[in-house]
Amino acid sequence: MGNYWSVTKYNDIMHVDTNAAIFSSDLNLGGVMLRDIEPEHQWPSFITMDEPRHGPQRKTVSPMFTPTHLNELAVLIRERSAEVLDNLPRDVTFNWVDRVSVELTTQMLATLFDFPWEDRRKLTRWSDIATALPKSLLYASEEQRLAELGECADYFTRLWNERINVEPRSDLISMMAHSEATRHMDRDNLLGNLILLIVGGNDTTRNSMTGSVLALNENPDEYDKLRNNHALIDSFVPEVIRWQTPLAHMRRTALQDTELGGKTIKKGDRVVMWYVSGNRDDDVITNADSFIVDRARPRNHLSFGFGIHRCVGMRLAELQLKIIWEEILKRFDNIEVVGEPERVYSSFVRGYATLPVRINA
Ligand code: HEM
């Protein structure tokens, strides 16, 4: 693994994240993951690019997340959330992760890509293995993992070739196929951007949906507050995203010698921003270890990053969580966690493989 600096204080993380001219995300220097990626497995995406390459590729997909487009998506998200919730079993234990969190985020991804509906769980699988570590037991060998990601590239290449030859539409593949900044991407850059969008839209929102149920069960007084005042959903959602911090860190590489927190960082050093620690920094966030649904400044958190790479899908993630909780509170008085969650083996994704719950009739 080699040496790296761990940045753990809120303001230091903010300094690194908002100084892209000093702290690079460039894949050729190692990218944004803690571990350097071997050149033969490098799939460049715009999260692993500095300016001037990053901006135009990001701009290509950002129309997906404008307020107007999100208003349109909200109708669909509500219908689907209602359907998934109405079909949940009563008086038996079931896995919230699979029945709700995975299903809803996968449906959303299929919509964003206009991906064949019946194959949508392929997106879940590709997202899971893209970030999985060998000890996660999700795949048997690195060869198998790469073969599956190759299948992902082939599948999307087929969709790409269909869409590049017809009129532009409002799905992410068509947007990239018709934009000057992305239409000439090579296969590796295409796969890189696809994996970025799949992982971005899948794991993170999924784990916030699961985390929201767990957080309320661990803090019953907070659950009561929300039950009694549904308007608190607006502060509850960002509080869950802070509490969960679905992505524990992002990494940068120093482009020059620089000072940080009284230390000298040398050109070429690896710098890891631990969002998960910054989100518990009592110097900036009052009672940072507590989960408080009516927190005064709930958006004061690092979970979406800051600076030029700040999450492009953050408003969509918040919208999905807001709608599902509006629909949950209309229907169920209690979603009871009845066992320990099983966590995903990762230092990057803070997530859950299972969460056993029960809803009484
Ligand atoms: C709770 C949900 C989410 C969390 C916690 C989250 C977190 C993050 C973080 C930490 C970054 C990097 C920020 C930085 O380096 O400064 C990021 C970037 C990104 N996220 Fe999200 N994300 C979420 C949901 C989504 C969704 C729903 C999508 C899309 C469907 C998405 C797509 C992206 C993309 C494309 C980037 C790269 C942006 C860039 O490099 O300019 N994310 N996200």
Side-chain angles (χ1 to χ4, degrees):
M1 176 83 70
N3 297 338
Y4 57 90
W5 293 97
S6 279
V7 186
T8 57
K9 297 294 283 179
Y10 189 104
N11 289 326
D12 291 339
I13 292 170
M14 187 69 102
H15 174 80
V16 173
D17 225 355
T18 51
N19 277 289
I22 300 178
F23 299 101
S24 166
S25 300
D26 193 330
L27 192 56
N28 296 316
L29 301 176
V32 293
M33 306 288 284
L34 213 164
R35 206 180 280 269
D36 285 337
I37 301 175
E38 313 80 59
E40 66 273 23
H41 297 155
Q42 287 185 353
W43 300 304
S45 67
F46 60 90
I47 203 171
T48 58
M49 290 175 192
D50 294 336
E51 301 306 1
R53 285 181 74 207
H54 160 265
Q57 292 206 7
R58 176 181 166 115
K59 259 203 201 119
T60 298
V61 297
S62 53
M64 179 60 87
F65 310 100
T66 57
T68 318
H69 196 237
L70 291 183
N71 278 342
E72 286 168 25
L73 286 177
V75 179
L76 199 64
I77 295 172
R78 193 172 300 282
E79 275 169 24
R80 289 187 182 153
S81 301
E83 195 186 336
V84 165
L85 295 175
D86 285 339
N87 285 321
L88 292 177
R90 306 300 149 92
D91 295 330
V92 292
T93 299
F94 65 91
N95 178 10
W96 182 264
V97 174
D98 189 61
R99 289 294 297 255
V100 181
S101 312
V102 170
E103 187 51 35
L104 283 177
T105 42
T106 303
Q107 289 188 6
M108 190 71 250
L109 270 185
T111 302
L112 297 182
F113 286 112
D114 195 7
F115 192 85
W117 195 246
E118 61 289 356
D119 277 349
R120 65 187 183 281
R121 284 272 172 150
K122 283 183 188 292
L123 294 168
T124 322
R125 172 72 187 161
W126 293 329
S127 168
D128 287 348
I129 60 166
T131 54
L133 296 172
K135 280 194 193 161
S136 65
L137 304 178
L138 275 178
Y139 56 95
S141 65
E142 185 59 15
E143 291 70 46
Q144 183 209 332
R145 193 177 84 95
L146 293 175
E148 286 192 52
L149 291 174
E151 190 203 322
C152 166
D154 291 344
Y155 201 119
F156 273 103
T157 305
R158 215 169 53 240
L159 298 180
W160 175 279
N161 290 338
E162 283 163 22
R163 290 177 201 180
I164 202 165
N165 294 318
V166 295
E167 284 297 296
R169 298 201 307 242
S170 62
D171 63 86
L172 289 171
I173 303 172
S174 184
M175 282 175 176
M176 289 195 282
H178 288 276
S179 150
E180 219 21 67
T182 42
R183 69 179 297 154
H184 306 295
M185 285 186 294
D186 59 24
R187 185 178 153 97
D188 282 354
N189 193 180
L190 173 62
L191 183 61
N193 278 346
L194 290 169
I195 289 175
L196 168 64
L197 290 159
I198 295 172
V199 173
N202 196 35
D203 263 349
T204 51
T205 316
R206 175 207 303 185
N207 292 319
S208 306
M209 273 185 200
T210 307
S212 59
V213 174
L214 188 61
L216 289 174
N217 272 261
E218 287 181 2
N219 299 275
D221 292 347
E222 299 304 305
Y223 204 164
D224 275 342
K225 277 193 214 163
L226 187 65
R227 254 187 216 110
N228 295 332
N229 181 3
H230 296 189
L232 291 180
I233 290 178
D234 285 339
S235 50
F236 159 70
V237 165
E239 176 67 350
V240 163
I241 294 171
R242 179 190 74 89
W243 182 86
Q244 181 61 35
T245 318
L247 298 181
H249 67 264
M250 285 284 164
R251 167 257 177 101
R252 300 289 187 260
T253 307
L255 291 172
Q256 61 187 65
D257 292 0
T258 185
E259 287 282 315
L260 182 66
K263 307 279 181 198
T264 305
I265 312 268
K266 290 278 182 202
K267 179 178 175 178
D269 281 359
R270 250 189 285 189
V271 178
V272 177
M273 300 175 285
W274 289 100
Y275 296 136
V276 66
S277 304
N279 276 343
R280 298 287 189 276
D281 184 349
D282 275 312
D283 290 344
V284 178
I285 300 171
T286 315
N287 289 327
D289 282 334
S290 305
F291 176 76
I292 304 171
V293 297
D294 51 354
R295 189 176 274 288
R297 294 178 59 220
R299 291 180 177 279
N300 193 21
H301 69 70
L302 297 165
S303 296
F304 292 121
F306 274 94
I308 61 168
H309 293 282
R310 183 161 168 80
C311 180
V312 74
M314 56 183 270
R315 297 287 173 209
L316 175 61
E318 290 177 336
L319 182 69
Q320 283 179 273
L321 281 162
K322 179 177 155 76
I323 292 177
I324 184 138
W325 273 98
E326 284 170 354
E327 296 303 316
I328 288 174
L329 292 172
K330 269 187 217 163
R331 285 172 175 73
F332 312 126
D333 189 47
N334 194 20
I335 299 168
E336 187 190 355
V337 173
V338 292
E340 284 299 309
E342 192 189 327
R343 287 171 197 274
V344 170
Y345 184 90
S346 173
S347 58
F348 177 62
V349 173
R350 296 193 69 241
Y352 308 92
T354 59
L355 182 71
V357 302
R358 194 180 161 96
I359 300 174
N360 291 331

